[in-house]
Amino acid sequence: MKAGLDMPNILLTRVDNRLIHGQVGVTWTKTLGANLIVVADDETSSNEMMQSLMQVTAKSSGAETRFFTLEKTIKIIDKAAPRQKIFIVVKTPHSARVLVEGGVPIKELNIGNMHFSDGKRALNKKVYVDDQDVEDFKILIENGVNVYIQDLPGDVKEQVSHLI
């Protein structure tokens, strides 16, 4: 990864099970001033139905959308133009970890919704984790990523390091 001015302009990366929905596609995108939402998710990258539903939401904020696999995101993120103000959305902490370990310069990781499922425990009312999620958070934090829970832009940030 090149340093300095050639770095991609990543405004924020968010973990959200739902990927692009009203909160992400409108509220977060407008607050950040993002003009490109990159959904880095292997499953969604090949599901045109999911993509078209997400694009409808994103269009209302005026942002463009791209749907890439994790590997493709790693390979092309450094080719982003300086005018692109990028908001990356992933489904899981593990996806964020893969991106960071692949060289994507993520400095902040916002944790939005991580739904309850068997084997998961609550970090707060909207974020449920299992042992793999906790391990991924620890590695991200060790790599210098500021990992925090923040549902909406005006909400107080809860540092994940204090919760795990």
Side-chain angles (χ1 to χ4, degrees):
M1 188 67 60
K2 298 173 218 128
L5 298 174
D6 294 336
M7 295 287 274
N9 187 7
I10 299 171
L11 303 176
L12 186 65
T13 302
R14 178 175 168 101
V15 172
D16 197 312
N17 294 113
R18 303 166 297 174
L19 297 171
I20 298 176
H21 54 92
Q23 222 172 43
V24 167
V26 180
T27 307
W28 276 101
T29 303
K30 285 185 173 182
T31 300
L32 292 169
N35 59 18
L36 177 62
I37 304 170
V38 173
V39 174
D41 183 67
D42 293 347
E43 178 189 353
T44 308
S45 71
S46 61
N47 185 325
E48 290 182 17
M49 169 76 92
M50 286 173 63
Q51 289 177 25
S52 64
L53 292 170
M54 290 182 208
Q55 283 173 324
V56 168
T57 302
K59 275 185 184 152
S60 65
S61 70
E64 293 183 34
T65 52
R66 301 285 185 280
F67 299 91
F68 297 142
T69 62
L70 295 172
E71 183 179 333
K72 184 169 182 178
T73 303
I74 290 166
K75 284 183 178 175
I76 67 162
I77 197 73
D78 64 340
K79 292 175 177 55
R83 64 179 165 67
Q84 291 177 307
K85 296 174 185 164
I86 304 167
F87 181 19
I88 299 175
V89 185
V90 296
K91 272 189 187 175
T92 66
H94 190 73
S95 294
R97 175 181 168 182
V98 168
L99 294 178
V100 168
E101 290 178 340
V104 177
I106 294 172
K107 297 188 178 20
E108 281 191 58
L109 183 64
N110 167 281
I111 310 303
N113 287 297
M114 291 177 59
H115 296 300
F116 176 80
S117 61
D118 285 342
K120 295 207 175 219
R121 59 194 178 276
L123 282 189
N124 75 6
K125 63 183 178 167
K126 295 210 175 190
V127 177
Y128 294 83
V129 297
D130 59 21
D131 292 341
Q132 180 65 58
D133 297 326
V134 171
E135 179 68 17
D136 292 330
F137 285 147
K138 287 179 179 175
I139 289 171
L140 287 160
I141 292 165
E142 286 169 13
N143 277 284
V145 179
N146 177 19
V147 182
Y148 57 89
I149 298 170
Q150 187 182 28
D151 191 32
L152 295 168
D155 294 348
V156 173
K157 295 178 182 180
E158 289 182 80
Q159 293 301 316
V160 167
S161 59
H162 299 150
L163 302 172
I164 57 175

